[in-house]
Amino acid sequence: MKSAISSLISSRNFNLHRSSLSFSIFRRPSLLLPSQFPVISTDDKATGANFTSLRRKCRFHSTKSSPIMASSFNPEQARSPPAVPLPIPPVTKFKIGLCQLTVTPDKQRNIEHARKAIEEAVGKGAQLVVLPEIWNGPYSNDSFPVYAEDIEAGGDASPSTAMLSEVSRRLKVTIVGGSIAERSGDKLYNACCIFGTDGKLKAKHRKIHLFDIDIPGKITFIESKTLTAGQTPTVVDTEVGRIGIGICYDIRFQELAMIYAARGAHLICYPGAFNMTTGPLHWELLQRARAADNQLYVATCSPARDVGAGYVAWGHSTLVGPFGEVLATTEHDEAIIIAEIDYSLIELRRTNLPLLKQKRGDLYQLVDVERLKSE
Amino acid sequence: MKSAISSLISSRNFNLHRSSLSFSIFRRPSLLLPSQFPVISTDDKATGANFTSLRRKCRFHSTKSSPIMASSFNPEQARSPPAVPLPIPPVTKFKIGLCQLTVTPDKQRNIEHARKAIEEAVGKGAQLVVLPEIWNGPYSNDSFPVYAEDIEAGGDASPSTAMLSEVSRRLKVTIVGGSIAERSGDKLYNACCIFGTDGKLKAKHRKIHLFDIDIPGKITFIESKTLTAGQTPTVVDTEVGRIGIGICYDIRFQELAMIYAARGAHLICYPGAFNMTTGPLHWELLQRARAADNQLYVATCSPARDVGAGYVAWGHSTLVGPFGEVLATTEHDEAIIIAEIDYSLIELRRTNLPLLKQKRGDLYQLVDVERLKSE
């Protein structure tokens, strides 16, 4: 059995992701294994969520006698490499806190303000806290270089992430730290740092798709004037499940969410600052679509609206469930949303609508280039 | 010039699609060519839509000096084979008619009823008419074999499509004929027939993704008990543009819409009968997501609701624009929606949000298996 497991790790999961960031999910390979076996974790028992029984239902649907089986269409080939099984998360039910914060030009104030918001969210039971995109200073090409921090250097070179590290360790909370401008050599990125309950940086996502749009008379913004795009998707195993990360405009690219789902994400977090044009048009639509199409949770966190700012954010931070249902949301004022996530619903919805088994790998295939190269 | 055109046809468009149905877009290669050249058609002039000037704007964004250009990310590789250029449609602005019809067990009545609805829609200016999924009899596994017709045999063997052929020719209207159960040998399909203004069958789409779902206590349906799934995506060039076809559950698979967009579709039509559970949950969401993500038009047509039927349809036939905006919709009663489509908005929206140029072909790639095999 041991050799089978080792073989599984080396031939599949590990190699699939070996090109990921060094602090990615493979620090904790134990999280990857349970899904292969019919184990009910203590957490599952405690919460009443029973992944094993759900999986048994799934197996029913994948038996040859089931009319839902359609193996001749090669559903597993609809993703290349094939999708990994949904891992059993360390916790099934927990509370998420979305901190829709006001952001001012005063960086020190923004950092202290975010710290207090995280503390408040944790005080209300949140085990995962999400911050907005660009929360330590104004969202503008002029401000990015001014507020940028050297995240890798850490300490005084990055007071924003130092605060996140301190508070995550002190309160034993997982933090998806919104985003800040990151300085790395002569380049600037829009970067999201994920901290574990031990205060360590578990992953860093650099916005892959830069926000370059032009709707004349409404909104024109060319983020690539100052920022460089990230080079890799980011999925990270945390104490609250496997989380895919996108920043704002990344949400428009359905392929990224599809990749995350195929990598076994339970939840995709998109810190984002949509605006007064694209916000009402697309913000909720895109969140619900990513969740429903991929049958997983989606959480977004925006800055609160400041009508006096150069860039006016739409607000409306939201948690969406795996049926595309809005579970919690808010308007545009500052707010902390506390809402419950129940991962057992992912398997339930995938049993209700077995889309993964119904995909037509004989007709289409989404390639995850990074995973494929690493095989 | 002639040889250049011939070469273009043989090396690119023709081969890309040569495995399509014999009555697919390649019967009318002339429709494919204008997009390669800066020609303004009479239609474009008449309607004020100027694809050439829009394309010029696009070119601006693709010059090397434009900050929106991101060629190092190989956006063209995000689709394999690469997406074809959006063809200039034969008409830019026109009216579409969506006939949300009541369906009874009386097949002859249903056929006459549909004929009258098409006539009414054309009388109100529709140049394209869409019918609902399974409009010639009840939607049930028991009924499919009873109401099925041999479409290829035609004539008396297929009174439903004979009517569509007659009325399309007589009224010079393009018809996306919803769907009926098709008998072919010993198999049954859920098939959508598209008729041109000459009354000829231009394409036939057999539902690719069968409706097999199980939401206990809400809706359980196993279409694959009686039906066989189709084997190919369907894109057809018509007098009102290039149209991709999906039937109902096909809309849940975002990959299909992505393929159609890459094949140059202006519009995707989904005849569909969502139900009282999945309708409120997902019907509008999926339409809007397909339209916004792929920046094209989406039209759906449902049967009207009959609360006494074995399968109760949600209704809510809808036209959605390339920003994911609902342009016209209705409730659940019988209705004929007449709404305007303006294809110039597709290029405008793709200029506003140049998603196609911003895709990360270095990170993900959607393969259109049929097109790739035919290369």
Side-chain angles (χ1 to χ4, degrees):
Chain A
M1 194 63 176
K2 191 170 181 300
S3 67
I5 293 173
S6 305
S7 153
L8 196 68
I9 296 173
S10 65
S11 72
R12 186 164 191 180
N13 290 312
F14 186 75
N15 283 336
L16 289 181
H17 296 256
R18 72 180 173 203
S19 68
S20 299
L21 294 173
S22 61
F23 32 65
S24 74
I25 59 177
F26 297 99
R27 280 202 168 165
R28 312 186 62 223
S30 62
L31 286 181
L32 292 171
L33 296 176
S35 65
Q36 321 290 340
F37 308 103
V39 175
I40 302 175
S41 75
T42 314
D43 285 328
D44 293 339
K45 278 178 184 162
T47 60
N50 189 327
F51 271 79
T52 309
S53 68
L54 288 172
R55 189 155 289 123
R56 206 166 284 141
K57 282 190 196 171
C58 287
R59 269 203 295 268
F60 167 73
H61 287 301
S62 63
T63 57
K64 291 211 172 181
S65 62
S66 165
I68 288 184
M69 185 60 181
S71 63
S72 63
F73 301 139
N74 306 321
E76 72 288 351
Q77 290 183 22
R79 295 294 177 268
S80 174
V84 303
L86 190 70
I88 292 185
V91 58
T92 302
K93 274 191 189 177
F94 66 96
K95 285 183 182 165
I96 187 172
L98 311 174
C99 299
Q100 182 168 295
L101 303 176
T102 55
V103 177
T104 74
D106 181 344
K107 186 176 184 176
Q108 191 52 41
R109 174 269 177 201
N110 294 334
I111 292 174
E112 288 311 311
H113 194 62
R115 186 202 307 268
K116 284 179 196 152
I118 296 167
E119 289 169 349
E120 183 176 333
V122 173
K124 290 179 176 169
Q127 289 179 257
L128 168 64
V129 175
V130 186
L131 296 187
E133 184 184 21
I134 305 293
W135 58 266
N136 76 353
Y139 181 89
S140 78
N141 277 316
D142 289 343
S143 295
F144 296 149
V146 179
Y147 291 78
E149 301 182 7
D150 187 338
I151 295 170
E152 298 300 323
D156 290 347
S158 186
S160 300
T161 60
M163 179 277 286
L164 297 179
S165 172
E166 183 276 325
V167 73
S168 61
R169 186 182 66 251
R170 174 164 50 87
L171 302 180
K172 299 197 187 338
V173 61
T174 300
I175 298 178
V176 172
S179 79
I180 63 170
E182 176 195 15
R183 186 181 303 281
S184 178
D186 61 351
K187 290 187 173 143
L188 295 177
Y189 300 91
N190 188 336
C192 174
C193 293
I194 297 87
F195 286 88
T197 56
D198 56 2
K200 290 187 179 160
L201 182 67
K202 294 179 77 71
K204 181 176 65 184
H205 178 76
R206 290 168 166 170
K207 191 174 189 173
I208 292 173
H209 303 90
L210 294 181
F211 178 57
D212 292 351
I213 80 169
D214 179 20
I215 307 179
K218 300 283 189 179
I219 174 72
T220 298
F221 201 99
I222 308 295
E223 214 174 31
S224 62
K225 275 185 185 171
T226 56
L227 302 184
T228 300
Q231 291 297 338
T232 176
T234 304
V235 172
V236 53
D237 272 335
T238 74
E239 298 289 351
V240 287
R242 188 170 293 179
I243 304 177
I245 306 289
I247 300 176
C248 200
Y249 204 58
D250 282 336
I251 199 174
R252 288 200 176 269
F253 298 83
Q254 55 192 322
E255 298 91 339
L256 186 64
M258 294 160 85
I259 282 177
Y260 288 158
R263 292 187 184 193
H266 301 101
L267 164 68
I268 306 178
C269 289
Y270 294 102
F274 269 43
N275 53 70
M276 300 297 289
T277 298
T278 60
L281 276 170
H282 296 146
W283 181 234
E284 184 177 288
L285 171 67
L286 294 172
Q287 298 173 55
R288 294 187 60 215
R290 301 297 168 254
D293 283 337
N294 298 292
Q295 300 180 303
L296 41 65
Y297 280 85
V298 167
T300 60
C301 189
S302 167
R305 189 177 305 163
D306 173 3
V307 293
Y311 181 92
V312 183
W314 173 240
H316 292 261
S317 304
T318 301
L319 176 68
V320 182
F323 245 8
E325 70 278 33
V326 173
L327 295 172
T329 189
T330 187
E331 294 290 330
H332 57 267
D333 291 331
E334 184 160 77
I336 296 178
I337 298 173
I338 305 291
E340 188 174 77
I341 283 179
D342 179 353
Y343 286 144
S344 71
L345 290 178
I346 297 177
E347 292 239 22
L348 177 63
R349 295 321 184 191
R350 292 182 183 188
T351 306
N352 294 153
L353 296 180
L355 303 180
L356 299 175
K357 297 185 179 69
Q358 296 167 327
K359 288 191 184 290
R360 294 292 301 262
D362 58 332
L363 297 178
Y364 45 74
Q365 181 178 68
L366 183 78
V367 180
D368 181 336
V369 175
E370 185 179 77
R371 275 181 67 205
L372 196 68
K373 280 184 181 168
S374 69
E375 280 207 316
Chain B
M1 191 63 174
K2 191 171 182 300
S3 68
I5 293 173
S6 306
S7 154
L8 197 67
I9 295 174
S10 65
S11 72
R12 183 160 195 182
N13 290 314
F14 187 75
N15 283 336
L16 289 179
H17 294 256
R18 70 180 173 203
S19 67
S20 299
L21 295 173
S22 61
F23 33 65
S24 74
I25 58 177
F26 297 100
R27 279 204 170 165
R28 314 187 61 224
S30 62
L31 286 181
L32 293 170
L33 296 176
S35 65
Q36 320 292 338
F37 308 104
V39 175
I40 303 175
S41 74
T42 313
D43 285 329
D44 293 338
K45 279 180 184 162
T47 59
N50 189 328
F51 270 78
T52 308
S53 68
L54 288 171
R55 190 155 287 125
R56 208 166 283 142
K57 281 190 196 172
C58 287
R59 270 202 295 267
F60 167 73
H61 286 301
S62 63
T63 57
K64 291 210 171 183
S65 62
S66 166
I68 288 184
M69 184 60 180
S71 63
S72 63
F73 302 139
N74 307 321
E76 71 289 350
Q77 289 183 23
R79 298 292 178 267
S80 174
V84 303
L86 190 70
I88 292 185
V91 58
T92 302
K93 274 191 188 178
F94 66 96
K95 286 183 180 166
I96 187 172
L98 310 174
C99 299
Q100 181 167 296
L101 303 176
T102 56
V103 177
T104 74
D106 181 344
K107 184 176 185 176
Q108 191 51 42
R109 174 268 178 203
N110 294 334
I111 293 174
E112 287 312 311
H113 193 62
R115 186 202 307 269
K116 283 179 197 154
I118 296 167
E119 289 170 348
E120 184 176 331
V122 174
K124 290 179 176 170
Q127 288 179 258
L128 168 64
V129 175
V130 186
L131 296 186
E133 183 184 21
I134 306 292
W135 57 266
N136 76 353
Y139 181 88
S140 79
N141 277 314
D142 289 342
S143 295
F144 295 149
V146 179
Y147 290 77
E149 300 182 8
D150 186 339
I151 294 170
E152 297 301 324
D156 291 347
S158 185
S160 300
T161 61
M163 179 278 286
L164 297 179
S165 172
E166 182 277 325
V167 73
S168 62
R169 186 181 67 251
R170 175 163 50 87
L171 302 180
K172 300 197 185 339
V173 61
T174 299
I175 298 178
V176 172
S179 79
I180 63 170
E182 176 195 15
R183 186 181 302 282
S184 179
D186 60 352
K187 290 187 172 139
L188 295 177
Y189 299 92
N190 188 337
C192 173
C193 294
I194 297 87
F195 286 88
T197 56
D198 56 2
K200 290 188 179 161
L201 182 66
K202 294 179 76 70
K204 182 175 64 182
H205 178 76
R206 289 167 167 170
K207 191 175 190 174
I208 292 174
H209 303 89
L210 294 180
F211 178 58
D212 293 351
I213 80 169
D214 179 21
I215 308 179
K218 298 284 189 179
I219 174 74
T220 298
F221 201 99
I222 308 295
E223 213 175 31
S224 62
K225 275 186 184 171
T226 56
L227 302 185
T228 299
Q231 291 297 338
T232 177
T234 304
V235 172
V236 53
D237 271 336
T238 73
E239 298 289 351
V240 288
R242 188 170 293 178
I243 305 177
I245 306 289
I247 300 176
C248 200
Y249 204 58
D250 282 336
I251 199 174
R252 287 200 178 270
F253 297 84
Q254 54 192 321
E255 298 91 339
L256 186 64
M258 294 159 84
I259 282 178
Y260 287 159
R263 291 187 184 192
H266 301 101
L267 164 68
I268 305 179
C269 290
Y270 293 102
F274 269 44
N275 53 70
M276 300 297 289
T277 298
T278 60
L281 277 170
H282 296 145
W283 180 233
E284 185 177 288
L285 171 68
L286 294 172
Q287 299 173 56
R288 293 187 59 215
R290 301 297 168 254
D293 283 336
N294 298 291
Q295 301 180 303
L296 41 64
Y297 280 85
V298 166
T300 60
C301 190
S302 166
R305 189 177 305 164
D306 173 2
V307 293
Y311 181 92
V312 182
W314 172 241
H316 293 261
S317 304
T318 301
L319 176 68
V320 182
F323 244 8
E325 71 278 35
V326 172
L327 296 173
T329 189
T330 186
E331 294 290 329
H332 57 266
D333 291 330
E334 185 160 75
I336 296 178
I337 297 173
I338 305 290
E340 188 173 78
I341 284 178
D342 179 353
Y343 286 145
S344 71
L345 290 178
I346 297 177
E347 292 239 23
L348 178 62
R349 296 321 184 189
R350 292 182 184 188
T351 306
N352 294 152
L353 296 179
L355 302 180
L356 300 176
K357 298 184 178 68
Q358 296 167 326
K359 289 190 184 288
R360 294 292 299 262
D362 58 331
L363 297 179
Y364 45 74
Q365 179 179 70
L366 183 77
V367 180
D368 181 336
V369 175
E370 186 179 75
R371 275 181 66 204
L372 196 67
K373 280 185 183 169
S374 70
E375 280 208 318

